Amino acid sequence: MSDRRHVEVLVIGGGIIGCSIAYHLTRMGKQDVAVLEKNQLTHGATWHAAGLVGQLRSSRNTTRMLQKSVELYDKLEAETGQSLDWKKVGSLRLASSKDRMLEIKRLATTSKSFGLEMQILTAQEAQELFPIMTTDGVEGAAYIPSDGYIDPSSVCQALAKGARDKGAKIHQGVEVLEVRRNGRQASEVVTSEGTWTFDILVNAGGMWSRELGILSNVKVPACALEHQYMITDPIPDMPKNMPTMRDPDRLIYYKPEVRGMVVGGYERGTLPFGDEGIPQGFGRELLGENFDRFEELACLASEITPVINTVGIRELINGPIPYSADGDFVMGKAVEFDNYFVASGFLYGIAAGGGAGQMMAEWIIDEAPSLDLWPLDIRRFSEHHNTNYFMYNRAVEHYGGHYLLHKPGEEAKAARGIRRSPLYNILKEKGACYGSRAGWERPNWFALNGLEPVDQLDFDRRKTNWFSPVAKECKAVRENVGLIDQSSFAKMEVVGPGALAALQGLAISNLDKLDGAVVYTQLCNEKGGIEADLTICRLGRERFYVITGSGFSTHDFHWIKSHLPVDGSVHAFEVTSAKAVINICGPNSRAVLQAVTRQDISNVAFPFSTCQQIEIGAATLWALRIGYVGELGWELHIPTEFAAHVYEQLWEAGQPYDIANVGYRAIDSLRMEKGYVYWSSEVTPDYTPYAAGLGFKVALKSKGDFIGREALQMIKESGPTEKLSTFTVEADVSLYGAETIFRGDDVVGLTTSANYGHTMGAQIAMGYLPVPLAGQQGFEIEAFGKRYPAVRIDGALYDPMNKRLKM
């Protein structure tokens, strides 16, 4: 190799993900591709991976991505001539408790909407497929016929060969020493064998990806943890073509292996690897065996497969596996550069490898994958996710909980309390039960009258200890007045002589309003898909205040910043920490607020969708007359140091009205009754404003060009193919979202969100329907394996004319 070379796409990392990206790039017409591997292909985590290929995940599009892996593995050997040892023998997932059986039934319901075949089996039927198991204590099982297992090294080599066959170059034994930048462009990679330049750089460095990111100040919240599995000696008379098996109640998985079995699992308290830096030269190596830590898993395995007690252990494998701050993949374009992509944190990289490579190739070439992958997008992370303190503590917790039974509403326990509102201690003393979002402590509900503020969860939400308190909070908002701490909102200011023009080019609504206007709007991509759902306030002629959800700051603000003019005429800076937010809402909110401010806040003086500066006590703050619960109310954006003072003023003034503290679980119930959408559920890049019932926000006549205008014009003329619909279910069942919608025997949709509407006294669900069905009735929603009649509702269930919001 010469000392200096240029390629169109340079991929760093020769594991299954890096090779898959190169393979798919070449299939999409990119032949000028190079892969650099510091050791040899498959070294790192690929070569010692267990090799299970399972497809079903809680996210619809993650499941679709994994299905693409299976589609590729079905044909890859014939295409490349490289043996894969792909065994499409299916997978079993046991349920050894009644709650686990409920979880499996829920997964089976979800799988139908994903187009993935999944069968519910009895314990005896599962044993017929996996004869070495006992049926003692087994309630049943799920079976997916299209799952299986594959040899990790072989499939990686096949992808590499496929990439080479189409022109990609793969260089092994090349270590990256430095990554140079030029402004927002990664410009050069200095290696042990010379310097590379490129148009696009891809970090697929596996367990090294975070250290690789540090070379150019790119934050990659991915790490590595120790993972062990044992390989047994041959098991006498073991049947051929047995499926893989997972027994999550015992934290273990099985894979047939040369007349024996691979038995692994996810125990609590695994050890981090590389938290003090990955040892120099680490490559195709294993870590020391830890039989003491594996003993718990071995004992649990012997309960369900007693034969394990009668055969020896051939080998105990302990190797580092990739992980991330939230236990899921880290994919997409890094926010720090315009030409730097990341594909890391692949806990189940063999299962994901084929599909993830395709999605990344699409991201690189088309600027977005064909599937909305927000649950995997690197922009879901914030600064704190990349710290050792947060990342390793959360990763170890997620690892230990990988197979644990997760009930709706479960919250993480590790690395808590890192972002606290000024009201944190005040509300804690008033009974706040906190949840965590984007590192923020947010009150989910309030425990009153001696109730302990600790979640007691259940698949039936009416059996939880928070159902009744949340009902009271909803009643307070609907009939009286409530206070909600929403300081975790992400906030940004956009200022400068080109601010209006820049934001007009992004938002679908017309922002050229009078100073003090508050505009709820969406930002779309070129296809008309919704990239952000947010509120923009015009504080001055060229000064705007942007508000979005707690977990969307990196994503939404990166979208805005990446589309601002490069001439320096517009500046955007985050002000989340500078402003606390208290939402005062309910029919008596005006009376309480008027009692603590001198400004006239009557409907005439302070109309809906406007903002004004007001004084409360000694604080000057911005009051925004908007809301997400469907009642009269104001968001008060307060300089952080004054937040506690303002809360005390409001709380005291609200005593004659029995003012209540309200949490986020009540917010979700209230917004469902109003049919308000939530980004990442009802609105995503997969859906347009017209499909989501937000076509009235699209200002095609009153403003000029903006991103997505042409696509939205065409959709308006032709009509959307889908329509967001609301359903009520009167039956005795709890809905949570991701339930399958049926009409007759046909699967026609998937619920995007669901909750209990305390005002309406019914389960409420939202989901998209094909337009020809969007005016029909006769629907059923399947939950936990049973179907329940669902009534489709036109418009909002509560106050459809918005009279209470604007009174």
Side-chain angles (χ1 to χ4, degrees), residues 466-508:
W466 51 262
F467 184 77
S468 292
V470 168
K472 292 178 181 178
E473 293 170 27
C474 291
K475 182 178 177 67
V477 172
R478 290 282 184 248
E479 299 180 5
N480 200 353
V481 58
L483 294 180
I484 309 173
D485 181 8
Q486 296 186 299
S487 299
S488 63
F489 276 160
K491 291 141 292 202
M492 168 188 272
E493 286 207 25
V494 181
V495 300
L500 173 62
L503 291 177
Q504 285 281 69
L506 293 175
I508 65 171

Side-chain angles (χ1 to χ4, degrees), residues 64-76:
R64 287 173 170 172
M65 185 177 82
L66 299 182
Q67 288 176 289
K68 291 180 181 296
S69 290
V70 169
E71 292 170 8
L72 177 61
Y73 299 161
D74 283 345
K75 66 181 183 181
L76 189 59

Side-chain angles (χ1 to χ4, degrees), residues 423 483-484 580-584 634-636 638 643 646-647 650:
L423 306 183
L483 294 180
I484 309 173
V581 180
I582 299 174
N583 186 347
I584 180 168
W634 286 261
E635 284 179 13
L636 307 178
I638 312 159
V646 170
Y647 175 87
L650 294 168

Side-chain angles (χ1 to χ4, degrees), residues 179-388:
V179 178
R180 295 171 178 166
R181 66 185 299 164
N182 181 12
R184 287 192 54 80
Q185 297 286 316
S187 57
E188 294 181 330
V189 167
V190 180
T191 77
S192 56
E193 296 189 7
T195 299
W196 289 78
T197 59
F198 43 81
D199 298 330
I200 299 291
L201 181 64
V202 182
N203 179 347
M207 70 183 78
W208 291 274
S209 59
R210 187 177 184 226
E211 294 186 354
L212 181 60
I214 290 171
L215 294 179
S216 54
N217 200 31
V218 171
K219 295 176 177 61
V220 182
C223 58
L225 306 175
E226 290 191 13
H227 178 69
Q228 295 191 112
Y229 61 82
M230 69 177 184
I231 304 174
T232 73
D233 284 335
I235 296 173
D237 303 319
M238 193 177 84
K240 295 182 179 180
N241 296 321
M242 284 170 54
T244 64
M245 187 174 81
R246 297 164 179 83
D247 186 357
D249 287 307
R250 294 181 177 84
L251 312 178
I252 51 176
Y253 64 78
Y254 295 82
K255 184 196 78 168
E257 175 82 9
V258 192
R259 294 182 296 137
M261 294 295 296
V262 165
V263 184
Y266 297 88
E267 77 282 11
R268 295 179 181 90
T270 189
L271 298 178
F273 175 76
D275 50 329
E276 300 297 332
I278 297 175
Q280 184 69 26
F282 188 88
R284 196 177 189 276
E285 301 174 46
L286 293 173
L287 308 176
E289 300 168 339
N290 192 327
F291 280 95
D292 289 342
R293 203 174 76 239
F294 194 78
E295 182 179 11
E296 175 192 6
L297 298 179
C299 291
L300 291 168
S302 67
E303 293 176 4
I304 193 68
T305 50
V307 70
I308 296 295
N309 290 321
T310 66
V311 297
I313 298 176
R314 194 172 84 208
E315 189 175 8
L316 183 63
I317 304 292
N318 185 10
I321 61 170
Y323 225 87
S324 76
D326 67 359
D328 225 326
F329 311 154
V330 183
M331 299 173 64
K333 184 188 287 187
V335 298
E336 295 87 353
F337 288 104
D338 295 330
N339 68 332
Y340 190 120
F341 289 80
V342 175
S344 185
F346 285 85
L347 163 64
Y348 40 96
I350 308 305
Q358 179 182 336
M359 294 299 101
M360 287 301 303
E362 292 174 356
W363 225 320
I364 292 164
I365 294 173
D366 300 332
E367 299 185 353
S370 55
L371 300 173
D372 168 39
L373 295 180
W374 167 245
L376 314 178
D377 195 314
I378 191 172
R379 293 171 295 176
R380 73 188 186 273
F381 295 114
S382 301
E383 291 276 345
H384 67 275
H385 289 100
N386 198 54
T387 62
N388 271 28

Side-chain angles (χ1 to χ4, degrees), residues 419 440 487-493 545-546 548 550 553 557 573-581 638 640:
R419 301 177 82 179
W440 284 97
S487 299
S488 63
F489 276 160
K491 291 141 292 202
M492 168 188 272
E493 286 207 25
Y545 184 58
V546 183
T548 191
S550 309
S553 58
F557 295 162
F573 47 93
E574 187 170 352
V575 294
T576 299
S577 299
K579 302 287 187 183
V581 180
I638 312 159
T640 300

Side-chain angles (χ1 to χ4, degrees), residues 777-789:
Q777 292 292 350
F779 297 98
E780 292 178 305
I781 291 178
E782 182 173 303
F784 302 105
K786 296 182 180 179
R787 296 187 193 178
Y788 301 91

